[in-house]
Amino acid sequence: MAVTNGTSRPSTSGDGLRRLLAVLFAATGFSALTLQVTWQRVISLHSGVDLASTTTVVAAFLGGLGLGSLLGGRLADRVGPRRSLEFFAGANVAIGAFAAVSTWLFYDLYRAIAPSLGSAAATFAFNAAVVVVPTTLMGLSLPLLTRGVVHRLHDAGPVVGRLYGINTMGAAAGAAVAGWVLVGTFGFVPVTLFAGGVNLVVGLVVFARTRSDTTIDDVGERTAVAATAEPTPVEGRPIWPWMVAYAGTGAVALGLEQVFFRLVDTVMRSNSYSFAHVLSLYLLLFGIGAAIGSRLVRRGVDTQRWFLLLQAGAAVGALAGPFVLLEVLPRVGLGGPLEEYFASDGFNIGFGQITSARGFAGFVFAYVVAPMLFMAVPVLCAGAAYPCIQATVSDRIDQLGRRTGTLLFSNIVGNVAGTLLTGYVLIDRLGTAGTLRLLAGLLLGGVVVASLATSRVGRRSTAGVAAVGVLGAALLVGAPSNDRLWSFLHSADGSLVLEEQRSCAVALRRDGTGNDILHINGSSQNGYPFDDYHVLIGLVPALAHPEPTNVLAIGLGIGATAYGMATDPSVRRVEVVELCGGQYPLLETLAEQRPAFELTRLFADPRVKTVVGDGREHLLVVDDRYDVITVDTLRPQSGYSGSLYSKEFYELVAERLNDGGIFTQWIPTSRVLNTAAQVFPHVEALEVAAYGSSRFMVASKAPITIDPAGLLERFGRVDPTAYRDEQRGSLRRYLGELRSACVQNGELLRDVPRRLYNRDLAPRDEYFLNNDLSVPELPRCRRGGVQQQPPGR
């Protein structure tokens, strides 16, 4: 071992170990995000997909990571390099073991104990208790690995920053591969086993290498010698203000992440692949930023100065993205194409249109240009800031693990606070644009205060921060209002009626025919005046049921389906559950302004009870039984839609129906019909020619009577003023000309190949790129010994 002037030259063997560990750390990043994406999707099956639920789940994930970072830092400084690497290996083996049973814990165990979990708080406590185990183990990793590979103090910032960047880029790959390929192709259970296997292999390789590599102890000796030879830290230079600062920037960063994701989700008119794509881009940018920051620190820059400059750059970049989109691009000849794109539904039902040049250009804009416009500068700056702050707080080699763990813990505490504050308060109160301005303004203000309070930041640095602050202030002043931002994203020219809450941004946009079209996060839904199809989804089961006293509509939409049920005078109670709570005040506004008498009647009806929440979660937690349940919500290509088209969901619906109860839902794919026919022995498929020959199912555990004469007789009891004359006439014609459309009559469909239907843990329609959409419809109806096929095949 050679030690010269308090430094040492690592051996070739040590360099090889460091390279190996870097590759393995990237692999653990891949596994971690694969597991997180999969676990969060499984947890959503019982916790719901509203922003409140997802925010609390993310907070639980972050909390475990923060706890692990804190514990890992203290452990690393106590045990030394070799034992740190052995504990790193052990943590990965434990993650692999947990992954092997994780689906059973998150899914099967929850279903077994769900009756004893009587509230959302109890459900969150269950999820948090389970999640904290693997996420704490994940959080141990970086402090332990840092202690095992960093030999000299001045290597702390660049080496740890590089490791962090490599791990984050591995995580980006995990999010992309899991989201685009693995989950849709194999389902959740095989993917968690695969990801856990990656951790297991990493743990065994690291353990074997540390047991056989005798240079690691030598590294520990060199580290001890270097610690005595390196300069003593400057007395009186506290570290805690930088820890607090990194907590504050962590809060802003996660708040901005939610803003970015909402903006990009709207631009994309998202489908089931969009979230994983955006997440992978975000992580990739952060990892690249960390690599850039490591090079800066290696060059010997003033890390405090650069940390502040980079945070200021993140704030300016966050403000610049929407400004460029709204104010710059339309002035350089792109106004027409942008208006055309934002008047469309983008890629919310797939990617078929990218075969044309215009469609491909739209895809590049939505999936590359727009995300980079919003995220590139702020996320690159945030990533580059990490090695700088790491170097700033790393002033003692013998406390490197603790400092690294505490720094990460501080940042994650800020992450949790920012996630909760933005998800529960800011977006509700300020909207997307106001939240963006506030967060960017807080970050800029914090940078200015810190630069003035930090003695090491000199005149040149203060001038640089001031220049960035002036630019940021100008962007703050010129930032678009929330109405202006959302009007642009809908090509509405200021005519948009907007209601934004934490779960969704919902809006009404009047089209060229005078219809008011509902949009949710940019994607169009149905419109007003009501079309016959959505009215019939609610009206037909109410008329077909002999005594539809208590009915449930999952999904409000424009209000047509719930209204169709409510017009039957036999109904005594109509419960409506809608995830996007802003739809209620939005439609009340429509009722007043247009006016829309149907909506006025719906919301004034004392029989109608409105609920804001996730429909599947509602069925899980309520004890009520219903005579009719309708589901008219997500397209099957939407993210999380599989929870409303699975066999297990239909079983849940069947449990909540009274004897003789009827269930209705539209039939977007053959798999949906195949899936429902495995739960309901009686299924009818009804086609509405006037609505593009779209079909909806009427299903029950008991025989269903679809008798045109009987339906017309019941329809005659409906208040004549409930419908406009033209629509009343069209509804009568449809009911009177209704033909038998039997799909399943008395026997459940059995022995269905897995690829032909949807399960909770294998939602094939949701992941449409990975599964054949042209599958056959299997149910056949037998009446009088004659086999009949359903219509619309």
Side-chain angles (χ1 to χ4, degrees), residues 117-128 617:
L117 301 175
S119 66
T123 299
F124 171 71
F126 170 83
N127 290 329
E617 183 188 14

Side-chain angles (χ1 to χ4, degrees), residues 364-501:
V364 171
F365 167 72
Y367 277 74
V368 180
V369 175
M372 290 298 179
L373 192 62
F374 292 128
M375 298 192 304
V377 173
V379 179
L380 283 170
C381 286
Y386 174 70
C388 295
I389 192 71
Q390 175 71 48
T392 296
V393 303
S394 300
D395 59 358
R396 292 179 62 96
I397 194 68
D398 58 330
Q399 294 186 9
L400 181 59
R402 180 173 301 183
R403 290 287 169 84
T404 300
T406 304
L407 180 67
L408 292 172
F409 176 77
S410 301
N411 186 250
I412 291 172
V413 168
N415 291 164
V416 173
T419 297
L420 296 176
L421 181 63
T422 303
Y424 280 99
V425 179
L426 296 183
I427 289 179
D428 268 357
R429 300 291 180 85
L430 304 176
T432 298
T435 300
L436 176 61
R437 288 196 303 271
L438 175 64
L439 293 173
L442 288 173
L443 189 56
L444 281 171
V447 167
V448 171
V449 170
S451 66
L452 295 175
T454 305
S455 59
R456 288 184 57 187
V457 177
R459 184 174 300 176
R460 284 181 56 196
S461 301
T462 303
V465 170
V468 175
V470 170
L471 176 59
L475 287 170
L476 278 171
V477 172
S481 67
N482 210 46
D483 287 340
R484 165 90 170 100
L485 173 65
W486 287 103
S487 291
F488 185 89
L489 295 178
H490 290 79
S491 293
D493 298 326
S495 62
L496 199 73
V497 181
L498 174 71
E499 190 72 40
E500 184 178 10
Q501 296 183 2

